[in-house]
Amino acid sequence: MILRKRTLFLMLIDAMLINLAAFGSFYLRLESFGEGAFLEYYHTYYVTAVIATILYIAVFHVFGLYNRLWQYASTGELLSIVYAVSVGTGGTVAAVYLYGLMNAATLTYIRMPHTAAVLLWLAMVFLIGGSRFIWRILQENTYDRHVPGTKKQVLIVGAGDAGVLAARELKNRNYRDGRPIGFIDDSHSKQKLQLLGIPVLGTRKDIVRIVNGYNIDEVIIAMPSASGDSVREIVEICEKVGVELKIMPGVYDIISGDMNVNPIRQIQVEDLLGRDPVCVDLEEVAGYVAGETVFITGAGGSIGSEICRQIARFNPGKLVLIGHGENSIFDIEQELRAEHPGIDYITEILDIKDRQKVDLIFRRYKPGVVFHAAAHKHVPLMERNPEEALKNNLIGSQNLAEAADKIRVKIFVSISTDKAVNPTSVMGATKRTVELLIQSLDRRSQTKFVAVRFGNVLGSSGSVIPTFKRQIAKGGPVTVTHPDMVRYFMTIPEAAQLVIQAGAMAKGGEIFILDMGKPVKIVDLAKDLIRLSGFEPDVDIKIQFTGIRPGEKLFEELLTAEEGITSTKHSRIFVAKPNVIDVKLLEELTHIVRERGSYLTRDEVIELLQTVIPTFRQKDTKIVANQ
């Protein structure tokens, strides 16, 4: 009822404006010919006004001009008005001409002057456009009230689209969170210009001067595409003058589907990494997931749960959540049911080492796609429990892969790690063995088996970030193993995107690798997190070096020496060349683990892994770490 009244009100206003435009166009055209000329064309004017009123309103309705919120009008709405007026004017001229032809026998002369038609078009664009955009003007000026008591002065770094969005967001909140005083931008062409009436005050080199000169309380970084080094530089500058720092959300928030985030938020350590995301080809993903029964092992974990969230967007026929921990599986199931209620969710609590149960659920649900994220990943823990790493990572993966082969699953994607390359840890060696296992199985199976290899994942349960945050909350010290320790990093959504995209690109037997950019020093990551928490490293919070742990390397690699890579159609994803695999050795290894698994000693585990990875532990661990 409200919408109907609003539409009728707008139509009534438009009818008056159309008649005003028609009268004005004829009057201006015929004024120079005297009063007699207007009277001569009066009947033509009258017919034009009637036809124009009916025709314009009908065209405006077809073009959807009555279904828009004009207080948010932009150039798109203006173009719609121009198109609608053009169609309406052309239709009016044609209708008047036809009316004259049909009544030529009784009427002396009916023809709309060409100049009057042009004037009608101009008048309509001006009047209809002005009547609509007046709502935008009122929204931005008449109702733009400054909330009493709001005194926070804000400086926005980045005078581009994101900067404008930040300024508008502050304005939309009636400046409750601060009033933008100016922009900072390194482009010389923008200096001394204004955006939304807000001046560009200088470049990043001028931040200290501007903050002090304008009494700035808060700086907002509005550069979503800026590199981590650029963001880090701005953070360090702002820390010198002691202002609060925030950032516009980047692409990670969009990829993760977190649409409830505030447009302006506190800066996070992920913003300093400068990681460009891996973007999914939506058509490819929808093509192989939609309507399929999809298995996700380790569905309650950091990566597994994010894969669940991403896959749920593509309408699988069934989504089977497999995990060993009942609480985490329950949590992700409840979340998915709330966010995507139209999907058939099935939960299976099982240990992937249980071959019979694995075979049972594969036969019961007959999946088309499997994402295998379940694994023991903690390096030091697996050094202390090497037989469990072998049993879970190798035997569990073999159970899943063989079950997939038996029922002819279409695609099986196994998640690996950069620690599988030239491994020095038991965990890394078991993951490398799994890579070899699925590659060997792919050669004799109708299922497409592939692996995805990537580095450390920020925010995951095993990441250093949660550990650092807990240590900072306790007042320190923050523990880092070695000052030269470096790692590749990516976000949880990015890791999930890579895994899903790999399934779409799979031909069978590939190991997909992400171009992860530059590795990051762990000590720099610790310092950044300390600063973002409002403290000074080694002053307020101490950094303590504890020494390299068993199985760790100073740096990680993405490729073995013999692999090499080939590019794919995805600019950030590469494929490692397949290795020569001794299937007999792999079969002997898995047979021994199945026979003696829990009774294997540490030395026996290492010897077994060396049969398939000859370079594993051939050097002293300390020597490897010190290279």
Side-chain angles (χ1 to χ4, degrees):
M1 182 64 71
I2 293 174
L3 289 175
R4 187 180 303 169
K5 288 181 179 179
R6 176 181 178 275
T7 300
L8 291 174
F9 176 69
L10 289 175
M11 286 182 174
L12 179 61
I13 292 176
D14 285 349
M16 292 187 291
L17 293 177
I18 292 166
N19 281 272
L20 178 61
F23 175 81
S25 63
F26 274 85
Y27 181 79
L28 291 173
R29 168 67 180 83
L30 303 172
E31 181 184 18
S32 60
F33 295 96
E35 293 184 5
F38 186 83
L39 292 174
E40 180 184 346
Y41 275 88
Y42 177 78
H43 190 69
T44 303
Y45 154 71
Y46 179 78
V47 171
T48 301
V50 173
I51 291 175
T53 301
I54 297 172
L55 197 57
Y56 272 122
I57 289 177
V59 170
F60 291 171
H61 181 73
V62 171
F63 274 76
L65 299 191
Y66 299 119
N67 301 324
R68 299 174 186 260
L69 291 173
W70 292 99
Q71 60 265 43
Y72 302 108
S74 63
T75 53
E77 281 71 25
L78 178 59
L79 286 174
S80 295
I81 291 173
V82 172
Y83 294 150
V85 169
S86 298
V87 172
T89 303
T92 298
V93 172
V96 171
Y97 177 74
L98 290 174
Y99 180 83
L101 290 178
M102 293 169 61
N103 296 276
T106 56
L107 298 176
T108 57
Y109 189 70
I110 291 289
R111 186 183 70 83
M112 186 175 182
H114 295 162
T115 308
V118 174
L119 291 172
L120 176 63
W121 183 87
L122 291 171
M124 286 296 295
V125 170
F126 176 77
L127 292 174
I128 299 299
S131 70
R132 298 305 196 267
F133 277 81
I134 192 69
W135 295 104
R136 173 76 179 265
I137 296 170
L138 291 173
Q139 174 75 12
E140 294 192 351
N141 295 281
T142 306
Y143 299 106
D144 182 14
R145 296 187 294 270
H146 183 211
V147 178
T150 302
K151 299 179 180 180
K152 184 186 289 186
Q153 310 268 66
V154 176
L155 180 66
I156 300 174
V157 181
D161 292 338
V164 171
L165 183 61
R168 288 190 187 280
E169 179 62 25
L170 292 172
K171 190 174 188 178
N172 291 339
R173 300 181 190 181
N174 285 331
Y175 303 117
R176 288 189 298 269
D177 297 328
R179 177 175 288 275
I181 300 301
F183 289 98
I184 288 291
D185 200 286
D186 289 337
S187 173
H188 295 293
S189 63
K190 296 181 181 180
Q191 301 305 311
K192 298 183 180 179
L193 300 180
Q194 293 187 349
L195 281 81
L196 305 178
I198 304 167
V200 179
L201 299 174
T203 66
R204 73 177 69 180
K205 296 179 181 178
D206 303 311
I207 290 178
V208 174
R209 173 182 60 81
I210 294 169
V211 167
N212 293 328
Y214 288 84
N215 297 318
I216 300 297
D217 302 298
E218 180 179 283
V219 173
I220 296 175
I221 300 175
M223 303 186 303
S225 60
S227 66
D229 291 338
S230 297
V231 175
R232 184 179 287 107
E233 180 184 348
I234 296 169
V235 170
E236 291 173 354
I237 292 172
C238 294
E239 286 171 351
K240 294 178 182 177
V241 289
V243 292
E244 187 178 352
L245 192 62
K246 290 185 179 178
I247 193 168
M248 291 289 293
V251 288
Y252 297 125
D253 298 313
I254 300 171
I255 292 174
S256 66
D258 188 5
M259 302 307 293
N260 297 319
V261 295
N262 292 325
I264 300 172
R265 59 163 170 76
Q266 296 292 334
I267 194 167
Q268 299 169 359
V269 70
E270 290 89 338
D271 300 312
L272 307 180
L273 296 178
R275 293 283 295 114
D276 293 330
V278 172
C279 298
V280 157
D281 185 324
L282 299 181
E283 292 184 3
E284 276 192 333
V285 172
Y288 86 97
V289 169
E292 291 284 356
T293 297
V294 180
F295 273 20
I296 301 176
T297 71
S302 305
I303 302 298
S305 61
E306 183 62 25
I307 294 174
C308 293
R309 297 182 188 99
Q310 298 288 344
I311 292 296
R313 296 163 48 200
F314 301 110
N315 299 314
K318 287 187 178 66
L319 193 53
V320 183
L321 314 178
I322 300 171
H324 201 196
E326 58 182 33
N327 293 329
S328 59
I329 292 294
F330 174 81
D331 290 342
I332 187 61
E333 180 195 13
Q334 295 304 305
E335 177 187 332
L336 292 173
R337 289 189 185 280
E339 295 294 328
H340 304 280
I343 297 173
D344 184 7
Y345 298 102
I346 299 168
T347 56
E348 288 287 347
I349 304 300
L350 65 87
D351 185 340
I352 60 174
K353 298 190 298 292
D354 186 342
R355 178 186 270 178
Q356 291 181 336
K357 181 64 180 291
V358 168
D359 285 341
L360 177 64
I361 65 167
F362 269 79
R363 289 197 306 270
R364 178 181 298 163
Y365 303 116
K366 294 181 171 54
V369 181
V370 175
F371 294 99
H372 175 34
H376 287 329
K377 306 179 186 74
H378 198 283
V379 171
L381 276 179
M382 293 306 100
E383 289 300 314
R384 296 195 292 269
N385 300 272
E387 73 286 351
E388 289 301 317
L390 258 185
K391 288 161 53 183
N392 191 78
N393 294 354
L394 178 57
I395 300 304
S397 298
Q398 186 184 39
N399 289 342
L400 293 165
E402 289 181 347
D405 173 55
K406 289 175 185 176
I407 68 160
R408 298 183 180 180
V409 168
K410 294 178 182 177
I411 299 171
F412 185 103
V413 182
S414 177
I415 296 179
S416 190
T417 170
D418 56 2
K419 294 175 178 58
V421 181
N422 298 322
T424 58
S425 65
V426 170
M427 190 281 285
T430 60
K431 286 298 226 176
R432 176 59 182 155
T433 307
V434 172
E435 289 181 355
L436 298 173
L437 177 72
I438 66 165
Q439 283 187 317
S440 68
L441 190 55
D442 177 79
R443 296 176 181 179
R444 60 180 188 273
S445 173
Q446 294 185 11
T447 299
K448 296 177 182 178
F449 287 94
V450 298
V452 184
R453 188 188 289 169
F454 49 75
N456 295 266
V457 180
L458 286 171
S460 66
S461 56
S463 169
V464 295
I465 301 300
T467 301
F468 286 167
K469 287 181 177 179
R470 287 193 297 269
Q471 291 173 339
I472 292 169
K474 293 180 179 180
V478 171
T479 57
V480 178
T481 55
H482 193 281
D484 296 325
M485 183 77 70
V486 294
R487 290 290 183 269
Y488 293 100
F489 281 100
M490 62 194 308
T491 65
I492 293 175
E494 186 176 21
Q497 295 280 321
L498 174 62
V499 171
I500 294 169
Q501 184 70 61
M505 299 167 65
K507 294 180 180 178
E510 301 99 332
I511 296 179
F512 290 99
I513 299 168
L514 172 66
D515 173 13
M516 302 188 66
K518 297 179 181 178
V520 178
K521 269 193 171 186
I522 301 298
V523 67
D524 290 341
L525 203 61
K527 289 178 180 178
D528 289 336
L529 197 58
I530 291 171
R531 291 193 184 100
L532 293 178
S533 301
F535 303 105
E536 185 64 25
D538 291 322
V539 176
D540 303 310
I541 302 289
K542 297 291 183 182
I543 294 178
Q544 179 180 330
F545 296 105
T546 58
I548 296 175
R549 298 175 298 182
E552 284 189 328
K553 294 191 286 187
L554 280 182
F555 59 90
E556 297 293 356
E557 305 157 277
L558 294 175
L559 287 167
T560 63
E562 64 274 11
E563 278 180 326
I565 57 172
T566 55
S567 60
T568 68
K569 61 183 176 180
H570 197 296
S571 62
R572 300 285 309 285
I573 302 177
F574 300 90
V575 178
K577 295 177 181 177
N579 295 101
V580 177
I581 301 169
D582 192 325
V583 177
K584 184 177 180 181
L585 289 177
L586 275 173
E587 291 176 348
E588 290 175 356
L589 170 61
T590 55
H591 176 73
I592 292 171
V593 177
R594 287 188 184 278
E595 289 290 322
R596 299 188 54 233
S598 299
Y599 299 96
L600 291 170
T601 66
R602 176 184 178 80
D603 290 339
E604 287 174 332
V605 168
I606 293 172
E607 287 177 6
L608 284 171
L609 289 171
Q610 286 174 343
T611 62
V612 292
I613 310 173
T615 59
F616 177 58
R617 294 285 172 89
Q618 293 298 317
K619 296 181 181 180
D620 183 86
T621 304
K622 292 182 179 179
I623 295 176
V624 174
N626 288 332
Q627 285 181 337

